[in-house]
Amino acid sequence: MAIIPPQMKMFLPMGLMFLYNKIGTEWPAPQLRFAYASTQILSLLAYIYVYQQASRVASTTQKLTVTTKQPTGPEKKEEMTVQQYDLKECKGFIQQLVMGAVIVVGLHSWKGFLQPLVIQSVMGIILLLDNPLFRIYVLGQAPVGELKRPFKKDVSPFAQLLGGAPAAEQGDSAAEGATAEGTPASGSAA
């Protein structure tokens, strides 16, 4: 079970901004910088640990079929081991963490914005605790249900409103069907 439901994750940054504007506009910048740097370093160390655990512990014999949506073409099916999948996912999370840090530090350095430091300090920990690889390798949860590989990608609530993404229930059945029946994981009809 996720720490915060995806619908709530969408509104959490707005709630943090509201709290910051109401009570936190006088927070000292050095403490906010320290909080942000601490959460980023903690997250990076956790992802490095997960990467090391995945390289040692993950199955190198169990295969799974992963369907990825190509931005310029049709969906691509790829067969890989659990270890390859976990390492690929972990690299993606590390890249996402680094890119987010570059953007936040850039905004803070360029314009002196403190709000991104506050938001990312809280959201970084929440995203880490919701990460399926972190939950499997660090928290010791079994890879069943929502932690079954290939992991179900979070569906944007805005995409659901516009009809561009399947509902959460459809995403579960499409992800399971990708290995058994060969149906696309995106759930889109042609």
Side-chain angles (χ1 to χ4, degrees):
M1 180 173 168
I3 292 177
I4 295 180
Q7 297 82 5
M8 295 280 297
K9 280 186 199 174
M10 183 175 80
F11 295 108
L12 186 62
M14 290 184 279
L16 289 170
M17 287 295 296
F18 177 77
L19 284 174
Y20 175 80
N21 289 331
K22 288 293 180 190
I23 61 174
T25 54
E26 299 301 320
W27 288 348
Q31 280 84 356
L32 292 176
R33 289 183 195 126
F34 178 77
Y36 175 72
S38 299
T39 58
Q40 294 303 300
I41 290 169
L42 176 71
S43 296
L44 184 60
L45 291 174
Y47 286 132
I48 290 170
Y49 176 76
V50 166
Y51 188 86
Q52 290 174 341
Q53 288 295 101
S55 357
R56 287 189 296 149
V57 177
S59 172
T60 57
T61 57
Q62 183 183 0
K63 301 261 186 197
L64 51 105
T65 302
V66 180
T67 304
T68 56
K69 189 172 184 179
Q70 301 295 322
T72 58
E75 293 178 345
K76 178 182 169 188
K77 289 186 181 185
E78 189 177 359
E79 188 170 302
M80 60 180 65
T81 65
V82 170
Q83 183 183 47
Q84 290 170 331
Y85 179 75
D86 287 355
L87 294 177
K88 179 182 172 187
E89 288 291 310
C90 193
K91 284 179 188 175
F93 291 129
I94 291 172
Q95 285 178 335
Q96 183 180 6
L97 179 74
V98 170
M99 287 304 297
V102 166
I103 291 169
V104 169
V105 169
L107 283 172
H108 179 64
S109 299
W110 180 43
K111 291 286 189 177
F113 292 144
L114 296 176
Q115 293 93 338
L117 298 177
V118 173
I119 291 172
Q120 289 302 319
S121 295
V122 174
M123 293 301 292
I125 296 298
I126 290 172
L127 292 175
L128 175 67
L129 293 175
D130 267 351
N131 185 297
L133 292 175
F134 182 83
R135 291 169 59 191
I136 290 170
Y137 288 109
V138 178
L139 301 180
Q141 296 179 358
V144 294
E146 68 180 15
L147 297 179
K148 184 179 179 189
R149 296 171 184 95
F151 304 127
K152 184 185 80 164
K153 302 292 181 192
D154 283 340
V155 178
S156 166
F158 292 121
Q160 282 182 356
L161 288 174
L162 298 175
E169 296 83 24
Q170 294 172 345
D172 281 341
S173 63
E176 290 173 10
T179 57
E181 301 171 0
T183 57
S186 69
S188 61

